[in-house]
Amino acid sequence: MLKKEARKITGGLSAPSKMPGPAYNLPATECKTGAKLVKIPGSVCAGCYALKGRYRFNNVRMALARRLQSLKHPQWVQAMVVLIKGEKYFRWHDSGDLQGAAHLKQIFEVCNKTPETWHWMPTREAQLLKLMDPDTIPKNLIIRMSSHMIDQGPVKFWPWTSTVVTHDSPNYGATKRFCPAQDQGNQCRDCRACWDRNISNVTYPKH
């Protein structure tokens, strides 16, 4: 399969300026848990960046909708492999989240077929992770369970997590890894903590 055909099937990859590699995004409006959290003050989703700014442009919304629809395409896994192959780092869902168990299984297939790529996927879909043994996840994929509320500590049921804290929180900086992007032009640069299975929790400052 050619990359041109793969992009047509999947809707193509995104290229977040912060990241060391490409990503794949879906409509934040279709998040299962996030759609509920966005209505709750104090939740991380309440001020979701993927529901404002350029994400509201018609062309962006249409592109995200195409990617969501593409998950049903019988060649989606093969097409994603074509697009990701050769990339060292990849992020799943710089907007949006898992759509269910079948979607997660597809991602596992992509990861298994791109063993040279390190994959990172943050998620709030706790109900899927609670049914899963972490040892069954492809070794080149890290799934970080994101805590729902600002200043909430990491969840206890999953080995890799992420949290969001305010500057005056007692949890501020009390982590094995604090995201350094705010001090380096909102970019990862040489930090790869989010992809590192040896780092149990990554903390992000509230913007």
Side-chain angles (χ1 to χ4, degrees), residues 174-189:
T175 179
K176 289 188 176 180
R177 186 68 188 200
F178 197 85
C179 176
Q182 65 173 352
D183 299 319
Q184 48 193 41
N186 196 36
Q187 294 184 336
C188 296
R189 293 193 182 177

Side-chain angles (χ1 to χ4, degrees), residues 24 26-27 30 63-72 99:
Y24 194 70
L26 298 172
E30 298 302 318
L64 292 170
R66 284 195 298 271
R67 291 189 183 114
L68 182 65
Q69 283 299 115
S70 77
L71 300 178
K72 302 174 185 177
Q99 297 298 297

Side-chain angles (χ1 to χ4, degrees), residues 14 25 52-61 94:
S14 58
N25 52 23
K52 51 191 176 183
R54 69 179 185 85
Y55 288 93
R56 299 180 68 180
F57 295 165
N58 192 51
N59 63 323
V60 175
R61 288 191 290 117
D94 50 311

Side-chain angles (χ1 to χ4, degrees), residues 11-23:
L13 305 182
S14 58
S17 58
K18 178 182 179 179
M19 301 288 156

Side-chain angles (χ1 to χ4, degrees), residues 88-99:
K88 190 169 183 181
Y89 295 98
F90 188 79
R91 173 179 175 171
W92 290 93
H93 310 141
D94 50 311
S95 71
D97 206 336
L98 288 167
Q99 297 298 297

